[in-house]
């Protein structure tokens, strides 16, 4: 587990234009190392790359000799308001919404300190993740980019109703999407099945394909992508056929639906580690939840392998903050689990940067060290293309051009 360096949250600052030189630049797309790389940063963006010895004179520089440079990490599935205890819902209810908001700020900044420069929060009480996103966006506090869904659209009796916007009829579904858009959500989250941590069944699809298509059509009309909590096979099928943009968890996916995801460019955000952890939590959480998690973890290995073989776009998400999952962030644990399930380091890094940015619809500004992209940069002591655990060797985090 990564150890938090508290001093990384203080801003050392740099001039608004500077060069990082002599770094080993990681080409995430190609999975290669470019030695002696340099980037010029102006304000919050990368404006120029250099791969030779010549760099502009008269610009202040930071010497990154002996360091590896890569884009900041992106976690597409977090719950910033949760504490990762055995019962984060109890903690949230006991503390109330104001402390949930404060906890979310704290968890976001902890994530940034450990190299996670963008998170997508896919479920929060009273939509507070939308407000957290705004706090960072307007510059009140330095933090990661947060794409907040607010509450999860779900039917009566759905998954984690404490985080839910309950909508049963098609009129209510349309209203729910429109409300979340008005509230400031950056993505729409819907639950198409039950979950492992909760009394409901995993398997049934709680919304029909037609209901999910209503949500997708309205969200896309309003310029928002749709993420679907989907564990059981029928709910996943309905969600993919309805046109959702990302399948969250996706434990039991048939080969035919995986092929459809590949053809439709539907992103798979598997969150492997959280279910593995829950399945090993006997005596710490209710046994019926452990049993359900064991079922999910068993499905996950095979589904993940088939998804890689078929070429489904896979993006990293952790479910950080979830029950018995420990303190945030959880990115390194998820990366290591992806490796244990057969993914190579270069593909893991793409899932956590380039592919995740594409899943957000932000590949033009995130996910790679390229001119025109946001200056969200990590400098590492060791090469994560050789060992993914080298993500833990952070020397410097840069967020929007600001050195932490």
């Amino acid at each position: 587990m990564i150890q938090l360096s508290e001093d990384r949250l203080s801003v050392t600052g740099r001039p608004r234009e500077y060069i990082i030189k002599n770094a080993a630049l990681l080409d995430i797309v190609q999975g290669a190392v470019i030695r002696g790389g340099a980037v010029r940063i102006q304000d919050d963006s990368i404006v120029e790359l250099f791969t030779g010895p010549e760099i502009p004179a008269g610009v202040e520089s930071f010497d990154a000799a002996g360091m590896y440079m890569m884009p900041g990490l992106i976690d597409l599935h977090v719950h910033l308001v949760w504490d990762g205890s055995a019962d984060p819902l109890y903690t949230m209810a006991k503390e109330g919404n104001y402390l949930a908001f404060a906890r979310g700020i704290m968890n976001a900044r902890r994530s940034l300190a450990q190299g996670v420069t963008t998170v997508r929060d896919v479920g929060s009480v009273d939509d507070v993740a939308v407000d957290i996103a705004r706090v960072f966006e307007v510059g009140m506090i330095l933090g990661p980019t947060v794409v907040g869904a607010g509450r999860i659209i779900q039917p009566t009796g759905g998954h984690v109703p404490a985080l839910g916007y309950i909508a049963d009829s098609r009129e209510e579904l349309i209203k729910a999407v429109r409300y979340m858009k008005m509230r400031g959500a950056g993505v729409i989250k819907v639950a198409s099945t039950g979950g492992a941590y909760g009394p409901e069944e995993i398997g049934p699809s709680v919304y029909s394909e037609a209901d999910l298509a209503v949500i997708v059509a309205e969200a896309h009309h309003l310029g928002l992508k749709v993420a679907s909590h989907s564990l059981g096979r029928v709910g996943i099928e309905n969600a993919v056929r309805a046109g959702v943009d990302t399948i969250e968890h996706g434990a039991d996916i048939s080969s035919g639906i995986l092929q459809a995801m590949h053809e439709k460019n539907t992103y798979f955000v598997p969150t492997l580690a959280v279910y593995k952890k829950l399945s090993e939590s006997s005596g710490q959480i209710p046994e019926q939840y452990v049993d359900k998690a064991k079922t999910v973890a068993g499905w996950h290995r095979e589904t993940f392998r088939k998804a890689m073989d078929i070429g489904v776009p896979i993006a990293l998400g952790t479910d950080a903050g979830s029950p018995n999952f420990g303190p945030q962030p959880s990115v390194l644990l998820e990366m290591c689990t992806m490796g244990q399930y057969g993914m190579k380091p270069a593909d893991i890094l793409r899932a956590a940067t380039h592919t995740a940015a594409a899943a957000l619809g932000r590949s033009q500004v995130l996910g790679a060290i390229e001119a025109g992209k946001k200056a969200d940069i990590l400098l590492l002591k060791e090469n994560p293309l050789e060992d993914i655990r080298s993500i833990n060797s952070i020397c410097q985090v840069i967020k929007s051009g600001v050195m932490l």
Side-chain angles (χ1 to χ4, degrees):
M1 185 66 67
I2 297 178
Q3 297 299 310
L4 174 67
S5 174
E6 295 288 351
D7 60 1
R8 196 166 282 140
L9 292 177
S10 61
V11 179
T12 59
R14 298 294 301 174
R16 298 309 288 171
E17 179 177 4
Y18 63 98
I19 290 173
I20 303 173
K21 63 182 182 180
N22 297 325
L25 175 61
L26 299 187
D27 183 335
I28 296 297
V29 176
Q30 298 299 323
V33 179
I34 302 171
R35 302 287 175 178
V39 297
R40 183 162 65 95
I41 294 169
Q42 283 183 349
D43 299 322
D44 63 353
S45 299
I46 298 168
V47 295
E48 197 169 2
L49 263 66
F50 309 93
T51 56
E54 300 297 327
I55 61 174
V59 180
E60 187 163 345
S61 63
F62 175 89
D63 194 343
M67 302 180 194
Y68 294 86
M69 182 191 300
M70 66 169 287
L73 301 171
I74 301 171
D75 188 341
L76 289 185
H77 196 119
V78 306
H79 298 282
L80 291 172
V81 301
W82 279 359
D83 66 352
S85 66
D87 194 349
L89 283 169
Y90 172 78
T91 303
M92 186 181 72
K94 179 182 70 173
E95 292 181 342
N97 290 358
Y98 293 121
L99 285 183
F101 175 85
R103 184 180 297 282
I105 294 284
M106 177 186 72
N107 284 332
R109 284 167 56 82
R110 282 181 169 173
S111 298
L112 178 59
Q114 296 179 36
V116 185
T117 54
T118 299
V119 300
R120 187 181 63 167
D121 187 293
V122 287
S124 61
V125 62
D126 200 29
D127 310 322
V128 299
V130 175
D131 301 315
I132 292 169
R134 185 65 176 152
V135 165
F136 297 140
E137 182 183 358
V138 301
M140 289 181 180
I141 305 173
L142 181 67
T145 298
V146 176
V147 180
R151 283 172 290 165
I152 304 166
I153 299 174
Q154 59 184 276
T156 301
H159 180 56
V160 195
L163 304 184
Y165 186 121
I166 307 303
D168 293 311
S169 69
R170 297 193 182 178
E171 291 77 13
E172 289 172 341
L173 295 173
I174 293 171
K175 183 177 180 180
V177 174
R178 290 176 180 174
Y179 175 83
M180 296 314 305
K181 171 69 174 182
M182 179 193 72
R183 185 67 173 81
V187 63
I188 296 297
K189 173 73 176 298
V190 61
S192 70
T193 71
Y197 194 92
E200 74 277 4
E201 297 178 74
I202 292 174
S205 180
V206 297
Y207 280 131
S208 68
E209 180 184 337
D211 287 339
L212 292 167
V214 168
I215 294 171
V216 170
E218 188 64 23
H220 288 178
H221 170 69
L222 296 175
L224 295 173
K225 293 185 178 295
V226 179
S228 179
H229 165 100
S230 303
L231 279 174
R233 180 166 294 204
V234 176
I236 295 169
E237 291 176 355
N238 285 348
V240 171
R241 288 173 178 150
V244 304
D245 299 286
T246 64
I247 292 292
E248 310 296 309
H249 315 306
D252 186 18
I253 313 180
S254 68
S255 296
I257 291 297
L258 286 170
Q259 185 63 43
M261 290 173 67
H262 171 63
E263 293 168 0
K264 292 162 67 77
N265 204 37
T266 305
Y267 291 85
F268 180 26
V269 184
T271 67
L272 303 172
V274 67
Y275 291 101
K276 184 173 184 291
K277 176 69 173 175
L278 284 174
S279 72
E280 298 165 350
S281 296
S282 181
Q284 301 170 68
I285 63 173
E287 290 303 314
Q288 73 174 109
Y289 301 168
V290 174
D291 291 341
K292 288 200 291 181
K294 287 180 179 178
T295 298
V296 171
W299 287 338
H300 248 155
R301 260 187 199 273
E302 180 65 14
T303 295
F304 188 67
R305 182 192 63 77
K306 289 193 295 185
M308 287 190 291
D309 290 345
I310 289 171
V312 176
I314 298 173
L316 183 139
T318 64
D319 221 347
S322 285
N324 216 38
F325 206 29
Q328 300 192 38
S330 304
V331 167
L332 179 60
L333 182 58
E334 182 68 17
M335 286 178 151
C336 289
T337 307
M338 294 170 97
Q340 291 167 13
Y341 286 19
M343 184 173 268
K344 296 177 181 178
D347 294 323
I348 297 171
L349 290 175
R350 275 190 286 273
T353 55
H354 186 265
T355 306
L360 284 174
R362 301 191 181 193
S363 55
Q364 73 277 15
V365 293
L366 297 175
I369 304 294
E370 296 175 358
K373 295 194 187 299
K374 190 77 72 176
D376 291 353
I377 296 171
L378 306 184
L379 295 173
L380 310 175
K381 294 178 185 177
E382 301 166 6
N383 183 2
L385 286 171
E386 297 177 352
D387 185 342
I388 200 62
R389 293 172 297 180
S390 297
I391 286 292
N392 199 21
S393 67
I394 294 175
C395 303
Q396 184 70 60
V397 178
I398 301 168
K399 174 59 187 171
S400 298
V402 177
M403 286 191 168
L404 283 77

